[in-house]
Amino acid sequence: MLTFAAAVFFLIITPGPGVLSTAGVGAAFGAAAGTRYVTGLFIGTNLVCLAIVSGLTAVLFADERLRTLLFFASIAYLAWLAFRIAFAGSKLAFIERSKPPGIAGGIMLQAINPKAYAVNTALFTGFGFWPSSLATEIFLKFLIVNAIWIPIHFAWLWLGISLQRMNLPHHIQRAINMAMAASMMLVVLLAAWAQS
């Protein structure tokens, strides 16, 4: 169980679309909007987990055409997000929008987030630790994943809010935007590599 918890921590804390966009929403819109967005991400990630555990993703991804379409749609969206972050200029608000994405935006991001599917598939189909009852193991995995997921996302939200409050020089803000975009593109490339 400790190995599973360690895997959850390291797989979730690494920069991906969810945590990067959480920091961006925090920087651009503050704590209240960020909390609503994290709530959407939370619902979305648990829906992804349910889809994996129930076998729905296996059924959907069995169709090569649908899998390819969803893969390229998510890669295109994440590459677009990375582009927007990289070229946000010197303004440290990783996401340029007129209004915050909210709960629905968080759910939708997780629905197309390849990292969410890859991480949760690895976590829920591997790392067995309760051989006597699969149902108990799945229940415990949900508890552990969420107990680690929630504070990590709120830490990223706090990071985004804190960076905005620092009023950093423009060249530092630009460098942070570029690092965030590079991290996002790394996730995109890893997802593409895993698909091939």
Side-chain angles (χ1 to χ4, degrees), residues 97-147:
R97 290 183 66 150
S98 58
K99 63 179 188 166
I103 292 173
I107 293 170
M108 291 306 297
L109 178 72
Q110 291 300 66
I112 61 142
N113 181 353
K115 184 184 176 196
Y117 289 94
V119 165
N120 288 308
T121 298
L123 293 173
F124 281 92
T125 62
F127 298 97
F129 60 79
W130 206 278
S132 60
S133 173
L134 180 61
T136 301
E137 180 176 313
I138 289 171
F139 175 75
L140 290 172
K141 283 182 174 182
F142 267 97
L143 285 178
I144 293 167
V145 166
N146 285 305

Side-chain angles (χ1 to χ4, degrees), residues 6 23 30 46 60 89 92 136 176 183:
N46 279 284
L60 290 176
L92 185 64
T136 301
I176 291 171
S183 295

Side-chain angles (χ1 to χ4, degrees), residues 12-16 18-27 38 94 115 149-163 180 183:
I12 293 175
I13 202 162
T14 55
V19 294
L20 290 175
S21 61
T22 295
V25 170
V38 169
F94 316 112
K115 184 184 176 196
W149 189 99
I150 291 168
I152 286 175
H153 281 73
F154 277 103
W156 277 90
L157 176 61
W158 174 82
L159 176 68
I161 293 167
S162 298
L163 285 172
M180 293 293 180
S183 295

Side-chain angles (χ1 to χ4, degrees), residues 16-196:
V19 294
L20 290 175
S21 61
T22 295
V25 170
F29 301 108
T35 299
R36 286 190 296 276
Y37 182 67
V38 169
T39 300
L41 290 175
F42 174 78
I43 294 167
T45 202
N46 279 284
L47 290 173
V48 167
C49 291
L50 285 172
I52 290 165
V53 169
S54 70
L56 179 61
T57 55
V59 170
L60 290 176
F61 292 161
D63 182 343
E64 180 73 29
R65 294 167 302 183
L66 182 59
R67 184 174 65 238
T68 302
L69 175 70
L70 292 172
F71 172 74
F72 283 111
S74 65
I75 294 300
Y77 178 71
L78 295 174
W80 176 78
L81 274 181
F83 178 82
R84 295 276 309 270
I85 292 167
F87 295 101
S90 61
K91 182 180 180 196
L92 185 64
F94 316 112
I95 298 172
E96 296 271 340
R97 290 183 66 150
S98 58
K99 63 179 188 166
I103 292 173
I107 293 170
M108 291 306 297
L109 178 72
Q110 291 300 66
I112 61 142
N113 181 353
K115 184 184 176 196
Y117 289 94
V119 165
N120 288 308
T121 298
L123 293 173
F124 281 92
T125 62
F127 298 97
F129 60 79
W130 206 278
S132 60
S133 173
L134 180 61
T136 301
E137 180 176 313
I138 289 171
F139 175 75
L140 290 172
K141 283 182 174 182
F142 267 97
L143 285 178
I144 293 167
V145 166
N146 285 305
I148 294 170
W149 189 99
I150 291 168
I152 286 175
H153 281 73
F154 277 103
W156 277 90
L157 176 61
W158 174 82
L159 176 68
I161 293 167
S162 298
L163 285 172
Q164 186 61 32
R165 287 182 182 159
M166 288 181 187
N167 199 19
L168 298 169
H170 294 299
H171 69 282
I172 300 289
Q173 291 179 19
R174 191 174 301 113
I176 291 171
N177 284 343
M178 294 302 257
M180 293 293 180
S183 295
M184 183 85 76
M185 283 310 299
L186 180 61
V187 169
V188 170
L189 293 173
L190 288 172
W193 179 68
Q195 179 74 13
S196 62

